[in-house]
Amino acid sequence: MAYHETDHEIGVTVGSIRPRRHPLDSATPSIPGPGSAGLLERDGALELLAAETDRALNGSGRLVLFRAPTGTGRSALLEVAAEQGAKLGMQVLRAHASADCPGAPLALVQRLLDAESDPGDLHSAPQTPKLSSHSSRLWRLLCEHAAASPLLITVEDVHLADQASRNWLTEAARRLTGMPVLMVVTERGQYDITPPRAGLAYSLPPDTVRMHALAPLSRSAAAELVRGALGPDTSDAWLDGCVRAGAGNPLLLRSLLDDLRAVFPYGASDGSGPKPRLPERCAELYPGAFVAAVSWWLKSTGDESTLVARAMAELESSAPEQRDEGRQEDSEQPVGGGGFPDGAGTSDLRPGAAGHGEPDPGLDFVDFLAELTGADPDRVAGWVAAMIRLGLLHRAPGTGVPRFAHPLLRGAVLDGWPHSHRQSLHHRAAELRRRRGDGAEAVAGHLLRTSPAGAAGGTEPPGAAGGGAPVDRALLDAAAEASRAGRTDAAALYLRRALDEPLPRERRSAVLTELGELEFTTQRTGGIPRLAEALRLQEQPRGRVLAAVNLGNALANQGRPHAALDVLRDLGPLDAEPVLARTVQTASAFFSDHDPEIRRAVHTRLRERAEQSPDWISPALRALLIRYRAAAGALSAASAVEQIRQLLAAPEDPLLVPYLLATAAAVAQWADASDDAERLVRAGLTEHWLTPLHPVHRSLLDSRADTAAARGQYQWLLEETADKLRTPADAARTGVSNLLAHRVIALAERGRAAEAERLIADIDVEEANDSGELNRFLYARGVLRVSVGDPAGALADFRECGRRQLGREVESLVITPWRSAAAECLLLLGEAPQALALAEEDSRYAAAWGTPRVRGRALRVLGAATGGRRGLELTAEAVGILRGTSLDIELIPALVTHGLQLTAAGQPRRARPLLREAATAAERLGAIRLSGSAERALRASGSRRWNTSLTGPGSLTAGERRIAALAADGRTNAEISELLHLALRTVETHLTSTYRKLGIRRRVDLRAVLSSSDAEDPV
């Protein structure tokens, strides 16, 4: 009864002192700079405050509850409410709940009702309690306050208050109707991993409370704030970065802008404004306000949410950035993709929407994150969805995997998290992935982020990947997986990390060897120290020999053949191990190809040993002697092939079989036994475990390329050599190789001479290693120079090729037909006598070797140099030898030369069928240069082909050319379709036809091919 009397008395009192009503000013308060962030886009909240204040002033109060995530401006709204309430004559009582404040029952209410004299002292309990803690007496005190004046009560962060105070506030809200009291309360409303307790108003009737949720800032509002703080000329890159890093959260955005203005002061004397690059590391934000704000935001979410956020940030920061997230247009090859992110430390996920049985990478990652952190999977999924809605996370395009909106956010989340905790996370992640059956690289990617067993700061037992498989075994499995997939950089990372583990001596040597091979392949000089260390660790003779061969081959390929042979000599005598001794001798012969003098000396000793101890010489060594004599012009092809076949049938030690196969493949290719050469190469590469540093590995690849070139398979050569030319650490001037030579010739023959010229523009022959590969490069450059109309330059290259080749005792034309090539240049330059002398010499060597390819080529050039009736007879003989041999690449120039001679002799009608045959064969091979020669010869005979060109830039229709040009400029198919008013399918069809005619498979190759055709006449 007394309670209701109090209500009545308050009503009377309020009626007698009610002040004049004023609308609540909803304009943004004058808070300078970023501080105004808290009230941007808060019109709805301010209107609610104005309406409820007016209602309270009229004698009927209510509870207004603002629910919002951490940092979205709850405090700013309370400040505005208190300021405006005071202006309207309301008595303002304020309290701020805090987890650090005393937790006695009704402690918050006691502070609230005793705070009138000192509103700023909100966190201290009263020194002398004026009232008991009983709720009814506190309510009576509230009524007394309301009787004296309309009352505004503000309570901040009520979710942190003691439960008794929360109950008191809830019950008070039920009784505010008819009282001049407005209670404005803020409560954190954010989805956390740990379920929160029920909200303050969950049990209140709807008419007693008005709830309002505060949303994150929109992008436009955040951008307005950024430009207001950093200036109107802030770049788009800075604007976008700040908006993403602030995630629409006023607290985070304000703190970030405070840091940026301290690091890059706005309004500098030069007027330059902010720097062009927005920092992506929190260490660059020197004041640290942003990191502190994120830390406070994390603390407010609870331990479980903090752990999940940090685990997610660590997994993202420890994986490489995902590339090529969009769809690649018009490629015949599928786009490679990855999970979160692509590469080390992730499961084998692929982009694309889940469906048709395909796993959803985003859901898979959320499940993984929940299991890794021990959190409820449903709560983790909900938390991720909530953070995406708030703007702190986003889903990666193509995969849907959640990621932090900006690197600064990710870095701030990780800031202060001990390194040992991160390592422990990766140990658990590695074990979890192993148990889930993820790929070896997914497991090893986490192990890369851990310390070796026994190292300071280690968090797991020695030798265990998260308590499961040995760390070194997991890393080595991952290295093998990466190597098979061609990811040599990733494989090297796994091997380097494996070397940090305690390994047995022999196993460490094996890992060093594998790593040395990878580093040499990618860096050239990087692998030498690894290989030398691997050799030092080997104790058994066989292991020492194999390690020495690897190191020696690396040194030889680096242009240091003397050092390579020194490594083999340091092995000492191997009389007790004849197979190992022969292996060293055979490897020495391969190394010697890198230096003319060493080559002669090694083969001289080998011949002497064969004469003195014929039983000691193995089939592999005998094959090397046959190859040497064939190159010197001392054997016929028939004799060489017969001897090689006998050696292949003889027993040979497994260590030496690869050497025998490589040598036999080279001789078979020289002898036009292309099928045998291919079979031997295939056997060497697939039936024997050959690393890139095995001496015969490159030899086998070269023989395969030589065979393809002899068949005119230029497109295959371009595809095969696209990624096998120079490594990043190679100096361009020394990057010559047999594969490079073949690529240059293939580009020239395919009508892409300009591209070939750019490829070799910076190669300095004088500084290149004097190896057989340099001779091949000189020959290829000569072919290129002929194709662009520079016979004088080509002649110089052919002659230099010949000089160096003769210095290596290579007299035969089986390596490079430099004499015939030089003779053709001399004919173009009007030097017929010199051309004839070279052609006759080449013809003698061709007759001695006796294969159709060399005989046909030599007779063709000799006929052109001889002229007259005898010349016609020689070229006719060349056509007869080459026809029917599957050597169209040699037959085509023979047909053209013979046809030109017939035309010159007044017999154009006899010439035309031959020239048409040549043009058709050239089209079939895609040999643009030869096709052009045949077309010009046809025109000289007074005719032309009945059908148009089938390949090359000149074969494109006007529509294909127009579409190809737009695609080369970077236009997408959709853009081309819209620009030319064509159906999308029509554009795709034209591009497919264009790729076929130009002999390319990728959109990025269009520009180079079209540029080459524009820069020169392709025919």
Side-chain angles (χ1 to χ4, degrees):
M1 185 68 181
Y3 192 86
H4 292 287
E5 290 174 358
T6 304
D7 288 343
H8 177 72
E9 291 171 358
I10 291 176
V12 173
T13 305
V14 169
S16 63
I17 65 170
R18 181 183 303 146
R20 183 171 56 90
R21 287 179 289 168
H22 298 280
L24 184 66
D25 183 9
S26 62
T28 302
S30 57
I31 302 175
S36 63
L39 290 175
L40 283 175
E41 296 185 325
R42 297 296 180 250
D43 291 344
L46 294 173
E47 290 172 0
L48 176 61
L49 278 175
E52 293 303 317
T53 300
D54 187 64
R55 175 186 170 94
L57 290 174
N58 283 320
S60 184
R62 197 149 45 189
L63 169 64
V64 173
L65 178 63
F66 291 115
R67 287 179 55 84
T70 301
T72 47
R74 302 190 308 260
S75 299
L77 280 174
L78 286 187
E79 291 293 333
V80 172
E83 178 183 347
Q84 298 300 325
K87 289 180 180 179
L88 294 172
M90 302 180 76
Q91 182 183 2
V92 180
L93 301 180
R94 306 172 67 179
H96 182 180
S98 171
D100 299 328
C101 289
L106 294 175
L108 175 72
V109 180
Q110 286 183 338
R111 292 197 306 273
L112 174 70
L113 297 177
D114 196 54
E116 179 182 0
S117 60
D118 187 5
D121 188 14
L122 299 179
H123 296 285
S124 301
Q127 295 180 357
T128 305
K130 299 178 181 179
L131 297 172
S132 71
S133 61
H134 195 273
S135 61
S136 62
R137 296 189 64 187
L138 291 173
W139 171 254
R140 191 181 303 276
L141 180 60
L142 173 65
C143 292
E144 291 176 1
H145 281 294
S149 169
L151 187 61
L152 173 64
I153 298 174
T154 68
V155 180
E156 185 170 358
D157 292 342
V158 73
H159 56 282
L160 299 177
D162 62 277
Q163 187 59 46
S165 293
R166 289 166 56 86
N167 293 340
W168 189 94
L169 292 171
T170 301
E171 186 61 28
R174 296 176 183 273
R175 303 179 180 184
L176 293 181
T177 303
M179 296 177 62
V181 180
L182 175 62
M183 186 184 298
V184 183
V185 178
T186 65
E187 186 175 55
R188 183 175 179 275
Q190 184 170 310
Y191 194 99
D192 298 319
I193 302 298
T194 303
R197 58 181 174 177
L200 182 70
Y202 82 100
S203 62
L204 290 175
D207 61 338
T208 63
V209 61
R210 291 291 182 267
M211 294 181 59
H212 184 85
L214 301 181
L217 297 179
S218 68
R219 180 176 178 84
S220 60
E224 176 186 348
L225 182 63
V226 173
R227 294 196 188 279
L230 302 181
D233 297 330
T234 302
S235 69
D236 291 341
W238 268 60
L239 182 65
D240 178 71
C242 289
V243 170
R244 288 190 293 115
N249 186 295
L251 170 71
L252 301 186
L253 185 56
R254 179 177 64 234
S255 302
L256 174 62
L257 295 174
D258 287 344
D259 280 347
L260 290 175
R261 289 189 301 177
V263 176
F264 305 110
Y266 174 63
S269 57
D270 59 0
S272 59
K275 300 296 181 183
R277 184 188 63 82
L278 179 69
E280 292 193 353
R281 295 179 179 274
C282 291
E284 299 181 66
L285 302 178
Y286 176 73
F290 181 72
V291 171
V294 173
S295 177
W296 181 76
W297 177 85
L298 279 176
K299 183 178 179 181
S300 70
T301 66
D303 293 341
E304 283 195 281
S305 296
T306 298
L307 177 60
V308 169
R310 284 175 165 168
M312 181 176 172
E314 176 61 21
L315 293 178
E316 180 180 340
S317 66
S318 63
E321 289 295 320
Q322 183 171 321
R323 295 180 173 86
D324 296 331
E325 293 175 335
R327 182 178 66 87
Q328 181 179 350
E329 292 187 334
D330 307 312
S331 173
E332 297 181 17
Q333 301 297 327
V335 181
F340 168 68
D342 185 17
T346 63
S347 58
D348 296 327
L349 304 175
R350 292 293 178 265
H356 305 290
E358 293 291 334
D360 186 325
L363 294 178
D364 183 83
F365 175 74
V366 170
D367 290 342
F368 176 81
L369 186 62
E371 191 171 356
L372 178 63
T373 57
D376 181 348
D378 292 335
R379 298 296 300 181
V380 173
W383 180 85
V384 167
M387 294 306 102
I388 290 174
R389 182 182 61 80
L390 292 177
L392 283 89
L393 301 180
H394 71 101
R395 294 196 181 276
T399 65
V401 172
R403 306 177 69 176
F404 280 91
H406 193 274
L408 281 174
L409 260 179
R410 183 179 66 239
V413 167
L414 288 174
D415 190 81
W417 202 30
H419 184 61
S420 60
H421 291 192
R422 299 191 194 189
Q423 290 192 328
S424 180
L425 176 82
H426 282 293
H427 274 295
R428 296 196 306 273
E431 175 60 14
L432 176 57
R433 290 204 179 277
R434 186 188 66 79
R435 286 191 284 105
R436 285 163 55 105
D438 292 340
E441 285 195 81
V443 176
H446 293 292
L447 296 176
L448 291 176
R449 311 294 293 188
T450 62
S451 295
T459 57
E460 296 292 324
V471 170
D472 59 302
R473 183 70 267 162
L475 291 163
L476 295 180
D477 289 344
E481 185 178 281
S483 293
R484 286 192 297 269
R487 295 190 298 274
T488 54
D489 289 343
L493 281 177
Y494 303 136
L495 292 173
R496 293 187 191 107
R497 175 62 182 82
L499 288 174
D500 293 335
E501 295 293 316
L503 299 173
R505 187 183 184 96
E506 293 294 325
R507 189 164 188 171
R508 179 170 295 277
S509 176
V511 175
L512 282 166
T513 299
E514 189 174 352
L515 178 57
E517 291 167 351
L518 285 175
E519 289 182 341
F520 184 82
T521 302
T522 57
Q523 303 172 18
R524 286 300 183 197
T525 58
I528 301 295
R530 308 280 191 187
L531 297 170
E533 177 67 10
L535 174 58
R536 186 186 68 78
L537 291 174
Q538 287 289 347
E539 295 178 333
Q540 298 301 318
R542 178 185 174 91
R544 286 183 55 77
V545 166
L546 296 180
V549 168
N550 282 328
L551 176 58
N553 193 47
L555 291 167
N557 283 310
Q558 200 183 70
R560 299 162 61 188
H562 290 280
L565 294 181
D566 288 342
V567 169
L568 298 183
R569 292 191 193 100
D570 289 342
L571 292 172
L574 295 168
D575 297 337
E577 301 283 350
V579 172
L580 296 181
R582 284 193 285 269
T583 300
V584 170
Q585 188 70 39
T586 308
S588 299
F590 272 82
F591 298 164
S592 70
D593 284 342
H594 293 272
D595 184 274
E597 295 181 2
I598 296 178
R599 185 175 186 272
R600 284 194 297 270
V602 167
H603 282 84
T604 296
R605 289 196 298 271
L606 189 58
R607 285 196 301 270
E608 292 173 352
R609 186 69 181 266
E611 293 172 359
Q612 297 168 3
S613 307
D615 294 338
W616 187 88
I617 300 296
S618 69
L621 287 170
R622 290 189 182 279
L624 284 171
L625 289 173
I626 293 170
R627 187 187 70 170
Y628 191 92
R629 294 184 63 200
L635 282 178
S636 68
S639 175
V641 168
E642 179 60 27
Q643 295 181 60
I644 288 292
R645 284 175 177 163
Q646 292 176 6
L647 294 175
L648 287 170
E652 180 60 288
D653 188 272
L655 274 181
L656 293 167
V657 169
Y659 295 93
L660 175 59
L661 292 175
T663 307
V667 173
Q669 191 277 319
W670 294 347
D672 291 350
S674 299
D675 292 340
D676 289 340
E678 280 193 335
R679 177 178 55 80
L680 292 166
V681 169
R682 188 164 52 250
L685 293 176
T686 60
E687 297 176 13
H688 300 271
W689 189 75
L690 300 178
T691 69
L693 274 185
H694 194 288
V696 307
H697 185 265
R698 181 182 289 190
S699 177
L700 289 168
L701 295 181
D702 287 346
S703 291
R704 186 168 64 180
D706 292 343
T707 302
R711 291 171 168 172
Q713 297 172 340
Y714 295 128
Q715 182 58 36
W716 182 91
L717 285 168
L718 292 176
E719 294 174 1
E720 181 69 11
T721 59
D723 302 317
K724 297 180 180 178
L725 295 182
R726 304 178 194 167
T727 58
D730 269 339
R733 62 173 182 262
T734 61
V736 298
S737 67
N738 189 52
L739 293 181
L740 175 62
H742 278 303
R743 184 170 185 84
V744 170
I745 293 176
L747 287 171
E749 296 294 350
R750 295 285 290 183
R752 297 160 61 179
E755 187 178 342
E757 287 182 314
R758 289 192 296 271
L759 180 64
I760 65 172
D762 49 4
I763 291 180
D764 189 339
V765 172
E766 297 301 322
E767 296 194 28
N769 302 325
D770 189 12
S771 65
E773 292 185 323
L774 177 59
N775 301 348
R776 300 295 295 270
F777 171 76
L778 287 167
Y779 178 80
R781 193 172 69 175
V783 172
L784 174 61
R785 287 177 167 175
V786 168
S787 71
V788 297
D790 180 18
L795 178 61
D797 278 339
F798 292 139
R799 280 176 167 166
E800 180 62 16
C801 170
R803 185 186 70 79
R804 292 175 180 268
Q805 204 161 289
L806 293 174
R808 303 170 64 82
E809 296 186 349
V810 178
E811 300 280 350
S812 176
L813 68 170
V814 294
I815 305 290
T816 60
W818 66 271
R819 296 184 186 88
S820 294
E824 290 185 290
C825 291
L826 288 168
L827 288 175
L828 291 173
L829 295 171
E831 302 290 342
Q834 295 183 46
L836 182 59
L838 283 175
E840 288 175 342
E841 187 177 4
D842 224 21
S843 183
R844 289 194 294 272
Y845 282 110
W849 183 245
T851 60
R853 179 158 51 102
V854 297
R855 287 180 59 211
R857 183 195 303 122
L859 287 172
R860 168 178 63 82
V861 177
L862 180 60
T866 301
R869 178 178 296 179
R870 178 56 182 160
L872 271 173
E873 293 172 353
L874 291 171
T875 55
E877 185 180 356
V879 169
I881 290 173
L882 292 168
R883 180 170 277 140
T885 60
S886 300
L887 294 170
D888 284 355
I889 202 64
E890 295 293 345
L891 173 62
I892 294 166
L895 289 168
V896 171
T897 302
H898 189 52
L900 286 172
Q901 287 183 320
L902 287 170
T903 299
Q907 305 177 55
R909 296 185 65 181
R910 289 184 57 195
R912 289 166 191 160
L914 300 175
L915 296 174
R916 290 194 182 99
E917 179 186 354
T920 301
E923 292 283 3
R924 186 173 60 252
L925 288 177
I928 307 297
R929 189 171 72 95
L930 289 177
S931 176
S933 299
E935 292 286 354
R936 288 192 294 271
L938 266 174
R939 288 195 292 269
S941 71
S943 180
R944 60 180 302 160
R945 291 187 61 201
W946 295 320
N947 57 334
T948 58
S949 180
L950 300 177
T951 60
S955 67
L956 300 180
T957 66
E960 290 170 343
R961 182 93 186 185
R962 183 166 59 252
I963 291 173
L966 291 171
D969 287 338
R971 305 272 188 160
T972 65
N973 288 1
E975 290 172 338
I976 297 172
S977 172
E978 183 177 355
L979 188 64
L980 300 181
H981 304 289
L982 296 173
L984 183 61
R985 182 62 182 169
T986 301
V987 174
E988 294 171 348
T989 301
H990 277 66
L991 281 174
T992 300
S993 174
T994 299
Y995 292 170
R996 177 185 57 78
K997 290 182 178 181
L998 298 181
I1000 61 176
R1001 302 183 67 182
R1002 300 182 302 172
R1003 195 184 195 96
V1004 294
D1005 292 332
L1006 276 172
R1007 182 181 294 275
V1009 178
L1010 296 178
S1011 298
S1012 296
S1013 68
D1014 292 339
E1016 58 192 65
D1017 180 5
V1019 296

